[in-house]
Amino acid sequence: MINKVHHIAIICTDYEVSKKFYTEILGLTIICETFRKERESYKLDLALNGDYIIELFSFPNPPKRPTRPEAAGLRHLAFEVDNLDEVIAHLTNHKIEVEPVRIDEITNKRFTFIADPDNLPIEFYEK
């Protein structure tokens, strides 16, 4: 019945800052960028390795995220990576604060978290 996750929608407070973060720092590619005048909103479709994955929206004055990361609803966004140390070095070079590496107690895999410009937790999980 369900094939896969089609995309994840994220609302940002500063469109240009978030666009730069997701494209220049995380390396997602732009599929389509649309300004919707009637909503005073951008919609940016982003791909990871050619697959559509994120819709980045800007809206005037969206409410802030209530808590991090334990609010009801979406808890965090997780990306699989081949080499966690390389990802951490890349993020650190871009002045992104990286949490200490942890070990998943079930899989014994390494992972860490950062926050996007609006404090949405993003996890990097080593393959």
Side-chain angles (χ1 to χ4, degrees):
M1 185 167 64
I2 296 174
N3 294 326
K4 64 178 183 174
V5 172
H6 186 265
H7 69 271
I8 298 153
I10 299 171
I11 298 172
C12 63
T13 57
D14 187 321
Y15 179 72
E16 291 302 326
V17 168
S18 291
K19 177 182 173 182
K20 180 178 180 178
F21 174 80
Y22 283 98
T23 59
E24 295 179 23
I25 295 174
L26 295 189
L28 302 181
T29 55
I30 296 173
I31 298 170
C32 182
E33 182 176 33
T34 306
F35 181 73
R36 301 171 311 161
K37 186 175 181 179
E38 70 282 359
R39 295 184 180 191
E40 295 182 42
S41 170
Y42 278 96
K43 178 181 180 283
L44 183 66
D45 297 329
L46 298 169
L48 175 64
N49 299 323
D51 292 327
Y52 176 50
I53 188 168
I54 290 178
E55 284 180 339
L56 182 66
F57 290 99
S58 68
F59 289 109
N61 304 308
K64 294 218 180 278
R65 185 175 171 81
T67 63
R68 182 188 183 276
E70 303 303 338
L74 179 67
R75 184 173 184 194
H76 64 265
L77 178 61
F79 292 105
E80 178 185 274
V81 300
D82 289 324
N83 186 314
L84 191 59
D85 295 324
E86 287 178 5
V87 170
I88 291 169
H90 172 78
L91 295 167
T92 303
N93 286 341
H94 283 90
K95 311 270 189 274
I96 304 293
E97 186 176 333
V98 180
E99 291 185 7
V101 172
R102 293 183 264 171
I103 306 293
D104 184 312
E105 61 189 39
I106 297 169
T107 65
N108 289 318
K109 303 280 185 169
R110 298 183 330 138
F111 67 97
T112 190
F113 281 89
I114 64 168
D116 86 348
D118 289 299
N119 282 323
L120 172 66
I122 297 178
E123 179 182 3
F124 297 96
Y125 196 92
E126 196 166 55
K127 190 172 178 180

